[in-house]
Amino acid sequence: MTGTDLHQELSDRWAVQGLIDEYARSLDERDWGGLAGCFTDDVVARLGMGSEPMQGRGAVVEACRTALTPFDATQHLLSPAQVELHGDTATLRCNVQATHLRQGSFLVVGGVY
């Protein structure tokens, strides 16, 4: 691998890591515009095991907004991400622990992004 190739790989990995970090930050800060920026217009996503796939950036943002609106605050903590690069595409896997606060009660959930 040349120095240029290594630089590109590290840059790509950093960009993918930054995207999942932005996703978690946007959820916690209720930054729906920032959240929308994490997805392409033609995104297909499932939020939760067994959920039906949603299509489109607006549908994903609205589902997140609906799910989080009842909570006073949330905190999404991410494990180090495993990033695999495949040409112009990438996959990322990390664990998440999300704490949700509502009227003084906590709900803690875990999962994988």
Side-chain angles (χ1 to χ4, degrees), residues 6-79:
L6 178 59
H7 181 268
Q8 186 62 54
E9 179 177 340
L10 293 174
S11 178
D12 291 347
R13 286 180 184 279
W14 189 255
V16 173
Q17 177 67 54
L19 188 62
I20 196 68
D21 293 342
E22 177 65 9
Y23 175 77
R25 183 207 62 77
S26 296
L27 292 174
D28 292 337
E29 294 181 7
R30 309 302 195 264
D31 177 2
W32 308 123
L35 184 64
C38 293
F39 300 100
T40 59
D41 289 332
D42 61 349
V43 63
V44 176
R46 291 178 192 231
L47 301 178
M49 292 180 53
S51 67
E52 292 296 317
M54 293 172 277
Q55 295 187 348
R57 179 186 321 205
V60 174
V61 171
E62 189 55 35
C64 291
R65 182 192 327 251
T66 299
L68 295 181
T69 294
F71 297 101
D72 300 322
T74 59
Q75 183 181 46
H76 291 74
L77 302 174
L78 306 177
S79 71

